[in-house]
Amino acid sequence: ATFLVETIDLIHRHMLAKWRVARLDADRLAAHWNAYVREHLLPRLHGFELMMAPYAIAHMKIGLKLAETGYTFPEDGPRVNVFLTNTLEPPHEIQPQLEAMAPMLAHEARAANLTKERLSTTVIIGNPPYAGHSVNNNVPSIVDAVHEYKRGYPDLQKPGQGKWLQNDYVKFIRFAELRLIGTGIGILGFITDHSYLDNPTFKGMRRHLRASFPWLRIADLHGNSKKKERTATGGKDESVFAITQGTAVGLFACGPGLEPSEMDFNLFGTASFKFEALLSRPLTQQHLHVLNPTEPFWLFKQQEQAGRKDYETGWPLPQIFDRNG
């Protein structure tokens, strides 16, 4: 529940600052905050967690954070809306065996189903799993939804290409995209594998995201040990997580009247340097580069344009070589 705890902390600081301007004393601040949490915050804050242990820890962390802010839990107050469920699964029928053997889990499943059916989402944040060998290929609805990223690209219809487009983090991005498009306005913030920024396999995905979200900011945190990238001075480049894959933070926004704006920035160096840079400088103070995603690859990275027209007049490799090499 790291993201939800930080969200509560941010909202708490914002609301206190607002009420202090109105010169509320300590008792009235506490009363306003308790009313706000009960009537507005908890009913609008939702989380989905697949595994039991993180689910339990999430409830504990959120409870501790709310208690730290001075919230007192009334007996008839709203629950913490973190549900034990697979985010990517649509609402489904509760099995009679579950009702008989584990009524509490059946109750949780019904609550998750109801939330998925009724929830109108405007902000989605998280750190979805990265798995090329997806464990969610048995969820037909999201597998079919990701196929949209291949539309119009015959080369992406091949099974080998399609497999990598079914990475779990891609499924979560597609899930979030559909939820926000359905609402018509919103913000998506995910930290994921950074492969989708420039890998040709994800060109249809980039084109689709650009159409859905006219405003985007990409923080490429690099750290891909397979690429063996270095800093400008030759220093080592580390992942912000203890993994071999590089990562990126993607921020996407959609809504009426939103001016198209596409920018990114890059962070190379040690993990501690990257943490410090992200914590000490807000997005508006980063050295942002303007992106210009265009056919055929719609890259979410800066691309050298000098000589590009000459390059594009050359023979494509598929025309030069036989398909079998």
Side-chain angles (χ1 to χ4, degrees):
T2 300
F3 290 95
L4 297 182
V5 167
E6 290 297 318
T7 298
I8 292 169
D9 192 55
L10 178 66
I11 291 173
H12 180 239
R13 286 187 277 116
H14 174 79
M15 298 306 292
L16 286 190
K18 174 183 174 181
W19 292 328
R20 281 172 178 149
V21 170
R23 300 184 181 279
L24 300 186
D25 60 29
D27 289 340
R28 293 180 67 195
L29 281 175
H32 273 62
W33 174 244
N34 273 266
Y36 179 84
V37 172
R38 185 174 58 253
E39 298 169 15
H40 301 288
L41 179 57
L42 286 180
R44 295 163 61 193
L45 197 69
H46 298 81
F48 297 146
E49 174 54 55
L50 178 62
M51 296 183 290
M52 177 62 80
Y55 163 80
I57 292 171
H59 278 268
M60 181 185 70
K61 288 175 65 176
I62 292 172
L64 289 173
K65 169 53 68 173
L66 286 172
E68 179 185 307
T69 65
Y71 179 66
T72 54
F73 291 84
E75 290 187 5
D76 60 344
R79 63 164 282 175
V80 172
N81 289 314
V82 174
F83 300 101
L84 186 65
T85 185
N86 183 344
T87 304
L88 299 178
E89 287 184 350
H92 57 279
E93 184 178 352
I94 309 302
Q95 297 299 319
Q97 300 94 313
L98 187 63
E99 293 273 14
M101 298 177 62
M104 290 298 294
L105 291 180
H107 173 78
E108 184 75 0
R110 283 194 296 271
N113 281 343
L114 192 62
T115 298
K116 289 179 178 180
E117 288 173 352
R118 297 183 177 180
L119 185 62
S120 181
T121 308
T122 54
V123 178
I124 301 178
I125 54 177
N127 176 22
Y130 328 152
H133 301 282
S134 174
V135 298
N136 288 292
N137 285 336
N138 60 342
V139 184
S141 58
I142 194 62
V143 170
D144 292 343
V146 170
H147 285 323
E148 184 65 26
Y149 291 156
K150 300 191 289 185
R151 187 182 299 276
Y153 293 100
D155 55 316
L156 297 182
Q157 306 297 327
K158 301 174 184 178
Q161 298 290 343
K163 169 189 172 183
W164 300 116
L165 268 174
Q166 288 295 339
N167 192 305
D168 276 336
Y169 83 87
V170 177
K171 289 186 173 78
F172 274 85
I173 289 176
R174 181 63 174 142
F175 165 85
E177 180 188 15
L178 289 170
R179 300 291 288 200
L180 292 175
I181 289 174
T183 306
I185 184 170
I187 298 171
L188 165 63
F190 273 173
I191 180 166
T192 67
D193 182 332
H194 71 168
S195 299
Y196 77 98
L197 301 182
D198 61 349
N199 190 310
T201 298
F202 302 94
K203 57 188 175 184
M205 175 182 172
R206 291 189 292 269
R207 182 184 68 176
H208 212 279
L209 290 175
R210 187 169 182 259
S212 296
F213 301 102
W215 188 99
L216 68 89
R217 296 291 184 270
I218 304 291
D220 190 347
L221 305 182
H222 296 275
N224 190 324
S225 63
K226 299 173 185 176
K227 291 185 177 181
K228 295 181 171 58
E229 293 177 311
R230 312 291 289 183
T231 68
T233 58
K236 63 180 179 179
D237 181 48
E238 296 178 339
S239 171
V240 294
F241 299 123
I243 57 176
T244 60
Q245 186 58 47
T247 53
V249 178
L251 298 174
F252 305 86
C254 62
L258 195 62
E259 290 292 327
S261 177
E262 302 156 328
M263 297 184 179
D264 80 337
F265 70 96
N266 297 272
L267 279 179
F268 292 95
T270 63
S272 59
F273 168 79
K274 293 174 182 179
F275 290 141
E276 178 62 27
L278 292 171
L279 286 169
S280 62
R281 295 197 302 271
L283 182 63
T284 52
Q285 292 181 13
Q286 298 288 351
H287 183 58
L288 299 173
H289 309 110
V290 176
L291 298 174
N292 184 31
T294 57
E295 287 279 16
F297 295 116
W298 305 99
L299 298 178
F300 284 179
K301 278 181 175 286
Q302 278 191 301
Q303 186 178 35
E304 180 58 56
Q305 299 298 315
R308 178 172 178 174
K309 288 186 178 180
D310 290 337
Y311 176 82
E312 296 293 349
T313 62
W315 294 336
L317 290 178
Q319 290 184 16
I320 298 174
F321 295 105
D322 180 86
R323 69 173 57 192
N324 296 319

